[in-house]
Amino acid sequence: MKFSSVLMSAAAIGMAAVGINAQQNQPACSSIYTRKEILSLTSSEWNLVKSILAAMQRDGWFRWFAYLHNQWFGSIHGNSQFFPFHRRFVYEWERVGKMYNSGYIQPYWDEMRDYRVPASSPVLTSNWVGGNGRSGDRCVVNGVQANWMMTYPNNHCFSRNFGNNGNPSSWYSPETIQNFIQRDTTMTQFRPDIEYTLHGVVHINIGGDMYQGYSPNDWIFMLHHANLDRLWWQWQQNGHLWTMDGPNAGGGSISLDSSMPYFNEPVRSVMQLGYGNMCFQYASNPISRRSLDPDMDQRLAAALPKDVLAEWFPETAKTEIANITDNIVNSVNSAIAEVSEIINSKPFNPIPYPARLTESWIKMHGFDTAEVRKVENQSRKLIDILNKAKYRSPY
Ligand SMILES: [Cu+2]
């Protein structure tokens, strides 16, 4: 009795000391760790990750997460639970990893940089997560999960089956994703814009286990969803920290008080990185500032007419138009010329159309095909505009 009251008052003092966010009702984290891009891990960091993943496989954690994801599949896709649930889910994976070694931090994969030729990404080599499954049985024989046997939903070799005959079609470029982040003002827009584009294309084009409801069998799942979470955070920092609207799992509308499937915790508990259990940030967009890529801003502003820029990249348009005064316009112009010169030394290489989601994958999720095609076509329209303006993507 005495002991617990001491604990309670200690907790109360601690919470008062660090401050409670009114919208979240959770204490600020006393320390924050940083999730890094996989290719920026040091070899000792990567060795630690590898040994923890092997232990988690041995102890059945891959099986458990694949099972959970598959069991709750219908509730966590195609509605506004998509982002909060997957943030909580990847955090849960990381939490389990930390039980093996507190140094486990879930990396992400900046997939957009590899959009043009995904198969040539260094991430998909034997040094990291390995490549395509071998011909015939599609078993993956290199990388961190080489020759693993999975046990959910049945015993099978860990598999990948790259789309487009082993040459996965291109993904979404950083510019197309930046368009969603800048233009979307509601979760009703942002969720399908990401879920039906980059999210789906990576699942489908990696294929094998990644194609299925039990996709967490492939550790790429965690890299992929950490990246999508990073994009959500970037959007949140862009004036949408508490934006949550649209459909809930099983009908009705979602709110910050809605309960996340399986976890039975309110959506609000995962909204703000740096509070509650969400004691992490992403290397490329730390908690303290809203992040746009200033180089991308400059390239887009140089390539697109002002009205087109304002329609597709309103934040970039504001930055450029608001900040350029007569005094500095010359220096900005010379900076742009300098950048263009470097970029223009490469021949113009138009941005390719990303692959469309397959009918079978759309059906498996119960997505509305027309909605998916609408989002895909909108992105293709932007790609047409960028290519027509001879915009040179540096990636
Ligand atoms: Cu999922």
Side-chain angles (χ1 to χ4, degrees), residues 264-283:
N264 289 323
E265 296 163 6
V267 164
R268 75 168 69 246
S269 66
V270 300
M271 291 295 285
Q272 191 173 23
L273 301 191
Y275 285 81
N277 288 325
M278 303 296 108
C279 296
F280 58 88
Q281 63 180 349
Y282 289 100

Side-chain angles (χ1 to χ4, degrees), residues 353-370:
Y353 281 154
R356 292 186 183 279
L357 302 192
T358 58
E359 287 291 346
S360 73
W361 204 77
I362 291 173
K363 212 168 172 184
M364 180 174 116
H365 287 76
F367 296 156
D368 179 344
T369 305

Side-chain angles (χ1 to χ4, degrees), residues 69 73 76-77 82 85-86 89 199 203 213 215 221 225 365:
H69 188 264
F73 196 78
I76 57 178
H77 301 107
F82 176 72
F85 175 88
H86 286 84
F89 191 70
H199 166 251
H203 273 287
S215 45
F221 177 98
H225 274 277
H365 287 76

Side-chain angles (χ1 to χ4, degrees), residues 320-374:
E320 295 297 317
I321 291 164
N323 292 346
I324 294 179
T325 66
D326 288 344
N327 291 342
I328 61 161
V329 81
N330 288 338
S331 63
V332 169
N333 278 345
S334 71
I336 289 173
E338 219 172 282
V339 169
S340 318
E341 205 177 312
I342 296 161
I343 297 169
N344 289 352
S345 59
K346 284 194 292 182
F348 174 64
N349 194 2
I351 296 176
Y353 281 154
R356 292 186 183 279
L357 302 192
T358 58
E359 287 291 346
S360 73
W361 204 77
I362 291 173
K363 212 168 172 184
M364 180 174 116
H365 287 76
F367 296 156
D368 179 344
T369 305
E371 282 298 309
V372 172
R373 300 303 177 221
K374 207 172 98 190

